[in-house]
């Protein structure tokens, strides 16, 4: 049986996925999820195909494993990861992370740096065991690491257990901990095997109730995967993006869930969580994947923009050339920062070869502004043509099809081809999925304003200011 079919059978495991007030049975057959599941299955099958096996996998301890689990020991290993990550990103035009390469990369980083985390042997041993379990079974995973919406002016520790909306330990047993509450920002949870639960929100030293990190299977009793409204379209010709690439956003509600002790990595220890958040290997490998996907996404938007200008013969206009140049600058800026991060990579603890984090942070932060601006440029290029395509491509075979073919043709392509392009552009700029994508790119890493501020606060500013003060001191002594 192929890897894709194994995956599709595996996720039909009785998990509780809620869409509206209905519990979804088999997500592989539900119209809101089926296309994404199918895409993931196809990508998994690529791992065993002769032309792509060596690019997407490496030889692990027992068998071949997905390249996301490769701990880089050289710059060549890092570039191998880049090649595989770019393949997956290009296959979905950077529109989704179906194989959970980001979460897998984070887990690989935690595993690689486990003995240097400063948390202890118990944590290191559990993370090692869990990493090998995920890798050897080629499982997909996602993270749930943020509090649900609440009064942001109040820290979580101000809530008592009865009113606390966040996830907390309600009691302990011989078999493990019992947890209740909610965690959010678990992207693609309906499609994955495992959910990694942690806290990326600030925690005080005294807030031990929320100081934990653990993992649960998606079908664990009491785990409720609550989905937003589906943006998946059912007509690929008319909605080429929405019908294929629906990353689903979810909130995970835990209702007295038992987490076995072997899956409880950290408990009642906010300081250990802070170390996890600052883990250099996890941060670098996770951001590396994010920037590779961002590059594919911006390349896709630039290509669509160029096709739009060609279809309407607007390439000669200076203002169109200017904004198309802006799209190209976006692509080359992210590409340059990615190359810089890899070129300036270096070995850390235990010869773990990591990309330099500063260029990755810059690329990630720029992405929060580049992506919305790229979508705005597509709107400007498309103009009112985005609103004037026929309702359905099938209309070309209807009673006025001959008129549509005559009056909807483009400068360099047929009416049908131009309409397909317009519908693709609209799916990127005006559909519900398009709005979701902008929000995702802006807020995936948290508050973008704070991220930019941190870029300034953490930058080694002394390298900039020393020459200035040297000049001032020299001038004052003359």
């Amino acid at each position: 049986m192929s890897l894709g079919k194994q995956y599709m059978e595996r996720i039909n495991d009785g998990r509780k996925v809620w869409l509206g007030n209905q519990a979804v049975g088999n997500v592989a057959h539900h119209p809101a999820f089926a296309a994404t599941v199918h895409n993931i299955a196809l990508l998994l099958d690529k791992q065993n195909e002769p032309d792509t096996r060596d690019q997407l996998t490496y030889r692990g301890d027992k068998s071949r494993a997905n390249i996301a689990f490769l701990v880089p020991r050289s710059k060549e290993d890092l570039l191998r990861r880049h090649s595989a990550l770019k393949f997956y990103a290009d296959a979905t035009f950077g529109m989704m992370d179906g194989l959970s390469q980001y979460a897998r990369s984070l887990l690989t980083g935690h595993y690689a740096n486990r003995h240097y985390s400063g948390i202890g042997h118990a944590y290191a041993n559990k993370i090692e065991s869990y990493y090998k379990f995920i890798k050897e079974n080629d499982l997909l995973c996602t993270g749930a690491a943020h509090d649900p919406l609440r009064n942001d002016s109040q820290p979580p520790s101000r809530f008592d257990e009865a009113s606390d909306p966040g996830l907390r330990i309600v009691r302990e047993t011989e078999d493990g901990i019992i947890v209740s509450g909610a965690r959010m920002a678990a992207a693609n949870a309906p499609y994955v095997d495992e959910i990694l639960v942690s806290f990326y929100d600030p925690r005080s030293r005294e807030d031990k109730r929320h100081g934990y990190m653990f993992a649960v299977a998606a079908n664990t009793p009491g785990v409720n995967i609550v989905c937003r409204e589906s943006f998946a379209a059912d007509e690929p010709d008319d909605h080429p993006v929405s019908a294929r690439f629906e990353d689903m956003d979810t909130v995970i509600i835990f209702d007295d869930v038992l987490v076995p002790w072997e899956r409880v990595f950290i408990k009642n220890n906010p300081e250990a969580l802070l170390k996890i958040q600052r883990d250099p290997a996890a941060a670098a490998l996770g951001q590396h994947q994010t920037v590779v996907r961002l590059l594919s996404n911006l390349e896709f938007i630039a290509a669509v923009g160029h096709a739009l200008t060609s279809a309407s013969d607007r390439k000669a206009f200076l203002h169109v050339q200017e904004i198309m140049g802006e799209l190209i600058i976006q692509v080359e800026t992210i590409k340059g920062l990615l190359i810089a991060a890899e070129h300036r990579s270096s070995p850390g603890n235990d010869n773990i070869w990591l990309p330099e984090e500063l260029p990755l942070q810059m690329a990630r932060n720029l992405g929060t502004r580049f992506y919305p601006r790229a979508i705005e440029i597509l709107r400007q290029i498309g103009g009112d043509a985005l609103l004037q395509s026929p309702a359905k491509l099938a209309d070309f075979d209807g009673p006025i099809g001959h008129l549509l073919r005559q009056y909807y043709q483009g400068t360099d392509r047929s009416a049908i081809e131009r309409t397909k392009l317009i519908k693709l552009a609209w799916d990127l700029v005006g559909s519900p999925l398009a709005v979701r994508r902008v929000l995702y790119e802006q807020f995936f890493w948290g508050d973008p304003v704070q991220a930019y501020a941190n870029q300034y606060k953490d930058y080694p500013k002394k390298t900039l200011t020393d020459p200035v003060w040297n000049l001032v001191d020299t001038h004052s002594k003359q």
Side-chain angles (χ1 to χ4, degrees), residues 295 330-341 359:
L295 175 60
Q330 286 187 354
V331 168
E332 291 301 316
T333 299
I334 299 302
K335 186 185 298 183
L337 288 168
L338 185 58
I339 292 172

Side-chain angles (χ1 to χ4, degrees), residues 207-248:
D207 188 13
K208 297 184 181 298
R209 191 171 70 204
H210 299 93
Y212 54 75
M213 174 184 178
F214 63 81
V216 294
N219 67 338
T220 301
V223 170
N224 295 275
I225 301 171
V226 182
C227 303
R228 58 156 167 77
E229 176 186 1
S230 173
F231 302 146
D234 58 3
E235 297 173 329
D237 287 341
D238 295 305
H239 306 279
V241 176
S242 300
R244 293 176 173 87
F245 309 122
E246 161 69 316
D247 270 358
M248 177 54 77

Side-chain angles (χ1 to χ4, degrees), residues 255-458:
D255 186 17
D256 281 351
V257 174
L258 171 64
V259 183
W261 285 116
E262 63 268 19
R263 285 169 164 259
V264 180
F265 308 124
I266 296 172
K267 182 175 73 73
N268 297 337
N269 194 340
E271 292 174 311
L273 278 181
L274 183 60
K275 293 176 181 178
I276 288 293
Q277 294 171 26
R278 296 175 177 174
D279 184 284
L285 295 182
Q287 291 184 64
H288 187 232
Q289 185 276 337
T290 299
V291 175
V292 171
R293 184 196 55 76
L294 174 64
L295 175 60
S296 289
N297 205 186
L298 293 177
E299 288 174 339
F300 177 47
I301 294 172
V304 173
H306 173 69
L308 284 173
T309 62
S310 300
S312 60
D313 199 23
R314 302 180 67 198
K315 291 186 294 185
F317 294 118
L318 184 60
H319 72 282
V320 174
Q321 294 174 357
E322 178 197 16
I323 56 179
M324 278 303 303
E326 189 176 344
L327 291 182
I328 298 303
I329 288 171
Q330 286 187 354
V331 168
E332 291 301 316
T333 299
I334 299 302
K335 186 185 298 183
L337 288 168
L338 185 58
I339 292 172
E342 293 168 345
H343 178 71
R344 286 149 52 175
S345 60
S346 60
N349 298 323
D350 197 26
N351 197 41
I352 306 168
W353 204 277
L354 299 176
E356 186 174 73
E357 195 171 355
L358 182 60
L360 295 179
Q361 289 176 340
M362 291 182 175
R364 183 194 78 194
N365 289 336
L366 284 172
T368 66
R369 299 188 180 182
F370 276 5
Y371 186 84
R373 174 57 181 159
I375 296 303
E376 180 185 351
I377 289 173
L378 278 192
R379 289 196 190 99
Q380 293 175 2
I381 293 172
D384 59 356
L386 297 175
L387 304 175
Q388 299 176 22
S389 64
K392 304 287 183 184
L393 276 174
D395 295 347
F396 282 94
D397 297 323
I400 62 167
H402 64 290
L403 296 176
L404 298 180
R405 286 182 173 86
Q406 179 179 356
Y407 294 109
Y408 277 81
Q409 64 182 345
T411 303
D412 65 343
R413 63 201 69 211
S414 70
I416 293 179
E417 290 175 325
R418 178 175 177 268
T419 300
K420 286 182 177 180
L421 176 62
I422 294 296
K423 286 183 175 292
L424 169 60
W426 175 255
D427 221 9
L428 285 172
V429 307
S431 68
L433 186 69
V435 177
R436 181 263 175 195
R437 286 288 310 163
V438 170
L439 287 173
Y440 179 84
E441 294 295 347
Q442 284 182 301
F443 296 103
F444 173 72
W445 289 93
D447 180 3
V449 174
Q450 185 63 57
Y452 265 74
N454 289 340
Q455 193 86 70
Y456 167 72
K457 290 191 296 184
D458 298 339

Side-chain angles (χ1 to χ4, degrees), residues 46-73:
K46 292 292 183 181
Q47 294 180 188
N48 279 344
E49 293 183 6
D51 292 343
T52 50
R53 183 184 64 176
D54 290 338
Q55 180 183 4
L56 304 180
T57 66
Y58 71 104
R59 188 166 298 282
D61 299 330
K62 298 181 179 179
S63 60
R64 300 194 73 87
N66 187 280
I67 207 76
F69 299 114
L70 175 65
V71 177
R73 302 293 182 185

